[in-house]
Amino acid sequence: MVKTEAGVRPPALDGAEFREAMSFLAAPLTIVTARDAEGCLWGFTASSVTSVSLEPPLVLVGISQTSSCFGALSEATEFSINILGGDDRDLARTFATSGADRFSGVRSADWPDSAVPYLADIAVALRCVVAGRIPVGDHTLLIGELSGVRGQGTAVSPLMWYRRDFRTPSANGC
């Protein structure tokens, strides 16, 4: 067994090696939506979303600092996480495409007493109040405290990102 000397850090993987390794980690797909100060809608497909805390209920969203949505999300006080189902592949692709008119033909609505948008035809949406932002590497981790859930209890097959493609678990679990 080779041991690393104290204080000596092994070299990090390069971007291509890291991307390949992470392609084996299945991730649920979501669309994060917000509205900027001028009232414009913003949204992007995100696979870096996870629960952080039960008390208070917190979630984490990773957003690239080069994303077209970065400016809007770095100033927003609230955002929504729209959890995608197996039938939402085209929607995920659209919101992941740079330069696309992402909201064209998409029904959105605002949470009550708010200008925070969610996707109206999605089975589950989470309303989040920004609790923190942490810059890490080329991303910022957006921490949101849940303040609302729409559609809870609706069972849909999840849409996953695995091996650089959209996947849905098979009905028999294999």
Side-chain angles (χ1 to χ4, degrees):
M1 176 190 322
V2 177
K3 290 188 175 185
T4 304
E5 289 182 42
V8 176
R9 211 167 96 170
L13 293 177
D14 70 24
E17 291 173 309
F18 179 73
R19 187 174 291 116
E20 178 63 18
M22 290 296 99
S23 76
F24 288 96
L25 183 61
L29 287 173
T30 67
I31 293 175
V32 176
T33 54
R35 201 178 292 277
D36 67 18
E38 286 77 42
C40 296
L41 293 170
W42 292 89
F44 67 99
T45 301
S47 59
S48 297
V49 175
T50 191
S51 63
V52 174
S53 169
L54 205 53
E55 291 296 329
L58 299 174
V59 294
L60 174 147
V61 175
I63 181 170
S64 172
Q65 294 166 0
T66 61
S67 168
S68 61
C69 296
F70 183 74
L73 268 296
S74 47
E75 295 179 3
T77 58
E78 291 186 86
F79 61 94
S80 292
I81 299 171
N82 302 271
I83 300 172
L84 300 182
D87 294 336
D88 298 319
R89 290 172 193 244
D90 290 341
L91 196 58
R93 190 171 286 110
T94 297
F95 276 79
T97 302
S98 180
D101 183 358
R102 295 174 178 170
F103 287 90
S104 177
V106 175
R107 281 186 345 109
S108 66
D110 292 339
W111 289 92
D113 304 320
S114 171
V116 178
Y118 65 89
L119 303 181
D121 296 323
I122 295 298
V124 179
L126 310 173
R127 180 179 177 182
C128 303
V129 174
V130 174
R133 291 181 180 86
I134 305 165
V136 180
D138 62 358
H139 277 62
T140 291
L141 304 179
L142 185 62
I143 309 296
E145 183 171 352
L146 263 62
S147 62
V149 178
R150 184 195 151 278
Q152 190 172 8
T154 306
V156 296
S157 179
L159 182 60
M160 309 290 289
W161 184 248
Y162 178 72
R163 298 293 296 148
R164 297 185 193 88
D165 201 2
F166 298 111
R167 313 274 182 178
T168 52
S170 63
N172 65 6
C174 298

